[in-house]
Amino acid sequence: MINPYAIQTAITTKNITEFAENVLGMQIHDGQKYWFRNSTKAINVLKPANQWGKTTAEAIKHIFHAVTKPQLERFDMSLEDRMRFDYRTLNAGKTYEVARGVLEQAVDITEGKYLLPTGHYNKSLLRGWAIKEVWEAAPKLPQIAWWNHSKILIRSWDGLGEAFKRLRLAFISVDECGDIPELKLFLNGTLLPRLFFFQGSVDLVGTSQPK
C-alpha cells in the first residue's frame, strides 16, 4: 500500500494533465489538455459538444483539488496542517441526479474502474485507499470523503444554491448552467462569495446545442 504522506509529498505538480496521466492513469485528449491549461481564471466557461468528456474533465479537476489542495499554497502551513485541513469542493446541478455524474466518475477514476478508449481500465495510484467514504443515498447529502480531510460535495443549485450558501469552497463546477434562469445573480450572489477565502475558481459547464 502507498503511504499517504509519501504520495502527498510526491504529488506536487500543479499540472492537472500530468496528474491525470501519471497518478490517475487517464488518457486525456487535446481539448481537455487545453481546458486544464487555461481554466485558471476566477470564472471559466466550458461548452463543448456531446461526448467531449466534460463530466470526466470536471471529475479529474475535483480529484486533483482533493488530493493536492492547491488553494492552500498561499498559506504558510505544515504538511500535517495541510493534511488535516477540511478542504471542500462542490459540483452543483439542476438536480442531485444531474450533479451526481461527477461523483460517480470521480469514484470510478480514483478506484481504477474507468474504461478507457483502448478497452482497458485506468490504472490509478489512489485505488483502494484514498477515498474513505462515499455518501450517495438519502438522508445524507452526496459527497466523497478523502483520507486527507478533503471532501467533494454534490448539491442541487435549486433556490440559487440554498444548500451551500454558507460554505467556504476552494473550487466549484456547475453542470448545465445554461438552465439557470438567474445565472448572473447566482454567480455573483452565491458562487463567487463561497470562493473568496481560498481565491478559488468556478467552472460553468454546459453543452452546445445544434441550431
Side-chain angles (χ1 to χ4, degrees):
M1 175 178 172
I2 300 173
N3 184 304
Y5 283 91
I7 199 155
Q8 186 76 39
T9 303
I11 302 173
T12 57
T13 179
K14 296 180 181 179
N15 187 309
I16 300 180
T17 296
E18 289 180 4
F19 175 85
E21 293 176 339
N22 299 332
V23 178
L24 301 178
M26 295 292 289
Q27 295 178 0
I28 309 301
H29 63 64
D30 288 343
Q32 291 170 329
K33 290 178 182 179
Y34 180 87
W35 172 244
F36 291 152
R37 190 168 58 248
N38 291 282
S39 58
T40 57
K41 301 178 180 65
I43 303 170
N44 308 283
V45 178
L46 178 63
K47 191 180 178 183
N50 278 313
Q51 303 303 313
W52 183 88
K54 65 182 187 297
T55 302
T56 300
E58 292 308 289
I60 288 170
K61 291 187 74 171
H62 279 281
I63 298 169
F64 175 78
H65 270 272
V67 173
T68 68
K69 299 184 175 180
Q71 299 310 116
L72 298 183
E73 290 292 333
R74 66 191 185 92
F75 300 110
D76 183 18
M77 302 176 73
S78 67
L79 176 59
E80 182 181 358
D81 286 344
R82 283 173 63 95
M83 288 279 287
R84 68 183 184 180
F85 188 87
D86 188 12
Y87 186 99
R88 292 177 291 192
T89 68
L90 167 75
N91 183 65
K94 186 174 184 178
T95 65
Y96 284 110
E97 289 305 312
V98 171
R100 278 172 50 136
V102 163
L103 179 147
E104 292 166 355
Q105 290 217 15
V107 171
D108 285 349
I109 292 169
T110 301
E111 298 299 347
K113 297 178 181 178
Y114 185 92
L115 189 63
L116 300 170
T118 58
H120 299 93
Y121 288 111
N122 68 304
K123 296 186 182 299
S124 169
L125 298 181
L126 308 179
R127 177 184 176 184
W129 65 270
I131 291 178
K132 290 304 182 185
E133 193 172 23
V134 180
W135 296 353
E136 294 187 78
K140 294 182 178 179
L141 296 175
Q143 71 171 29
I144 302 173
W146 300 76
W147 94 99
N148 61 352
H149 299 279
S150 288
K151 291 181 178 67
I152 299 174
L153 310 179
I154 306 299
R155 300 289 186 268
S156 165
W157 45 251
D158 191 39
L160 295 180
E162 289 179 354
F164 51 87
K165 277 188 175 178
R166 297 181 181 179
L167 300 179
R168 290 195 304 190
L169 302 163
F171 170 64
I172 300 172
S173 57
V174 183
D175 235 343
E176 302 302 340
C177 61
D179 295 336
I180 302 175
E182 298 180 82
L183 179 57
K184 186 175 181 179
L185 176 61
F186 180 46
L187 180 63
N188 293 317
T190 300
L191 298 181
L192 294 180
R194 305 283 70 72
L195 297 163
F196 179 79
F197 178 80
F198 293 107
Q199 298 181 8
S201 63
V202 56
D203 289 354
L204 302 177
V205 182
T207 304
S208 292
Q209 300 295 333
K211 296 181 180 179

